[in-house]
Amino acid sequence: MTLGNHSLEQEVLGLFDRQAELLLLRMRKGGSLGDASAVSALAHALKGSASGIGAAEVACAAELTERAANGTAAECSAAIDRLAEAVEKARALISELLRQG
């Protein structure tokens, strides 16, 4: 995606890091309000971003959250929790990569 441009790579990873945090906060709010369409749309957006940077675990968890959004509130909440765990792992790796940069 960045064609070896290290500066661009750092910028893209930093953007993903901030976006993932924001989208998760919005998903939790949407989930608590019972807004399945918002959770689904936000999970879909995160899935695309994660795929774009090669964060396969996050993309997979986001897809599962997207599907779970139309289930019960408990299923949706559990899916968001699993997605949050995957995002935290990715953010820790991104933080390490950015420190090395």
Side-chain angles (χ1 to χ4, degrees):
M1 176 180 188
T2 61
L3 301 173
N5 183 326
H6 186 66
S7 177
L8 181 57
E9 178 181 296
Q10 288 188 312
E11 184 177 342
V12 169
L13 290 175
L15 287 171
F16 175 82
D17 185 55
R18 289 186 297 280
Q19 180 193 39
E21 181 179 25
L22 179 63
L23 291 176
L24 275 171
L25 288 172
R26 289 182 178 171
M27 273 185 249
R28 289 200 188 280
K29 183 176 180 181
S32 70
L33 296 174
D35 190 349
S37 63
V39 172
S40 180
L42 294 164
H44 183 79
L46 186 53
K47 177 178 70 174
S49 295
S51 294
I53 66 161
E57 185 177 344
V58 174
C60 181
E63 183 174 342
L64 293 174
T65 301
E66 189 177 0
R67 291 183 200 163
N70 293 314
T72 67
E75 291 168 336
C76 182
S77 180
I80 293 171
D81 288 344
R82 287 189 299 273
L83 176 56
E85 289 175 16
V87 165
E88 283 308 308
K89 287 181 192 175
R91 291 183 74 209
L93 179 58
I94 287 168
S95 178
E96 183 64 31
L97 290 170
L98 293 177
R99 271 194 297 256
Q100 293 173 4

